Amino acid sequence: MAIPPELGDLDPHQNESYSYLYNPEKINGEFTGKHILSVEQFARPDLEILFSAALRIKEMFIQDDPRLQDICRGKVMIAAFEEASTRTDLSFQSAMFRLGGGVAAPVGGWKFSSEYKGEGGVDTLRAEACYGDVIILRHPDKGSTYRAAYHIDQLVARGDIDTKPVLVSAGDGVGEHPTQALLDLFTILDEKGRADNLIITLVGDLKHGRTVHSLAKLLVQYQSQNIKINLVSPQSLAMPQEIIAYLEEHGVLVNQTDNISTVIAESDVVYWTRVQEERFTNPQAYEAIKNSFILTPSVLNQAKPDAIFMHPLPRKNEMGSLHDHDILDADPRTRWFRQMENGMYIRMALLAAVTGRLDRIYQWKAT
Ligand code: NCD
């Protein structure tokens, strides 16, 4: 299990994944203190705990229940976003504030952390671990969250810190985005009333899109029955083979195509994604492919009346012009803003769970 210290840096130039060296614990009904790195940690009963907590929290939030403020009172969350983010960052921060906890991050942004003057990423992480109960890490390297979890555990094992902070992945490069998948599955359940007997179509940059990697695997973890997943992308942006193999091994019917019109009319859920420009090393390759799949109002018109359209956002070329955005947004089948809202409830539930405070929600429910 040892990771040589010289390889343990969070240097963005080291692209190696350490997932084969660090095994995140399965949740198995107990969230407290567990790092959240991959959707593979969750089984259906864990997801049910989290989703019902999110619903309860939503209810309390809408009623402006002041007891929400007691759930994470005294807890501190470090927002360690070393890569661009709007929704994930703000929803985690809002989630912690609304639960009565606090949020810390360098006041001038991460450019003004000591990494800016040459500190190694692992030492920055160790500082975060000394001050936070929860560290939300987004980083451009696949596997960076695994390395971070390893180094936190080392600090604790060596007795350098007395309490173990929890690391929650907010996206590790092209790897996973587990909390996005949680909110996406929650949204599917909320909107469609089920996650079984569905045709789910994932469109766009399936190679670099960590949200679709996590969502596809989470449907397996949830044991969704009788689902078909259409994977729509140009060949060069296809879903990684290991994820396709994982789906097929678990009985999911997978159909790969580069032609959206062959699958749009049968789809119950259409999940569109942005071509991930920042992952391309060759700008010409991005330019050549950026307009491959555009969700226009005419695509929407070919879908079932009760289909739902999802997108993790932000959106760029893949949703046409600003005028097209307005038309798409006005269609009740497009659910991306609801996804954003759900993200806060899911993250509130997860923060309560990993800090061992989930029981507070139910104590009050009983009274
Ligand atoms: C996604 C991400 O960062 O992976 N955004 C998000 O978290 N809502 C998708 C993207 O950036 O395209």
Side-chain angles (χ1 to χ4, degrees), residues 219-285:
L219 288 161
V220 167
Q221 302 304 117
Y222 191 70
Q223 294 170 7
S224 289
Q225 300 299 304
N226 188 29
I227 56 165
K228 176 183 174 192
I229 300 188
N230 293 312
L231 301 174
V232 186
S233 72
Q235 193 100 69
S236 59
L237 298 181
M239 181 67 93
Q241 203 46 51
E242 71 265 21
I243 297 181
I244 297 178
Y246 187 84
L247 297 174
E248 287 179 336
E249 273 160 30
H250 291 86
V252 177
L253 187 61
V254 177
N255 168 39
Q256 278 187 283
T257 175
D258 60 4
N259 187 352
I260 181 69
S261 60
T262 60
V263 294
I264 190 79
E266 68 172 19
S267 305
D268 300 297
V269 176
V270 183
Y271 191 105
W272 219 273
T273 63
R274 173 180 71 90
V275 179
Q276 308 277 298
E277 180 176 2
E278 65 274 33
R279 310 294 176 212
F280 283 72
T281 43
N282 174 357
Q284 278 111 42

Side-chain angles (χ1 to χ4, degrees), residues 181-252:
L182 292 171
L183 78 89
D184 289 337
L185 177 57
F186 180 81
T187 303
I188 293 172
L189 287 164
D190 199 34
E191 297 288 332
K192 300 298 297 177
R194 64 184 198 279
D196 300 324
N197 309 314
L198 288 174
I199 298 182
I200 298 170
T201 298
L202 309 178
V203 192
D205 188 350
L206 308 183
K207 177 183 179 191
H208 304 112
R210 54 194 172 198
T211 67
V212 280
H213 300 167
S214 288
L215 177 58
K217 289 200 288 180
L218 192 63
L219 288 161
V220 167
Q221 302 304 117
Y222 191 70
Q223 294 170 7
S224 289
Q225 300 299 304
N226 188 29
I227 56 165
K228 176 183 174 192
I229 300 188
N230 293 312
L231 301 174
V232 186
S233 72
Q235 193 100 69
S236 59
L237 298 181
M239 181 67 93
Q241 203 46 51
E242 71 265 21
I243 297 181
I244 297 178
Y246 187 84
L247 297 174
E248 287 179 336
E249 273 160 30
H250 291 86
V252 177

Side-chain angles (χ1 to χ4, degrees), residues 56 60 67-75 99 352 355-367:
R56 172 72 188 132
M60 292 173 78
R67 292 173 303 186
L68 267 185
Q69 283 288 308
D70 292 324
I71 294 175
C72 282
R73 187 180 301 286
K75 298 290 181 187
L99 294 174
T355 55
R357 298 283 181 87
L358 208 52
D359 55 337
R360 296 191 177 192
I361 299 169
Y362 296 104
Q363 277 164 12
W364 295 321
K365 203 174 183 180
T367 58

Side-chain angles (χ1 to χ4, degrees), residues 191 270 297 299-310 328-336:
E191 297 288 332
V270 183
V299 173
L300 201 80
N301 288 342
Q302 296 164 47
K304 288 184 186 179
D306 66 343
I308 57 164
F309 282 77
M310 300 172 67
L328 296 170
D329 294 349
D331 190 305
R333 293 173 295 175
T334 61
R335 306 313 288 149
W336 34 82

Side-chain angles (χ1 to χ4, degrees), residues 83-85 87-88 138 170 177 180 210-211 273-274 276 278-279 311-314 347:
E83 191 180 50
S85 176
R87 276 147 282 269
T88 309
R138 170 171 287 192
H177 193 345
Q180 177 74 38
R210 54 194 172 198
T211 67
T273 63
R274 173 180 71 90
Q276 308 277 298
E278 65 274 33
R279 310 294 176 212
H311 191 301
L313 302 178
R347 289 174 175 130

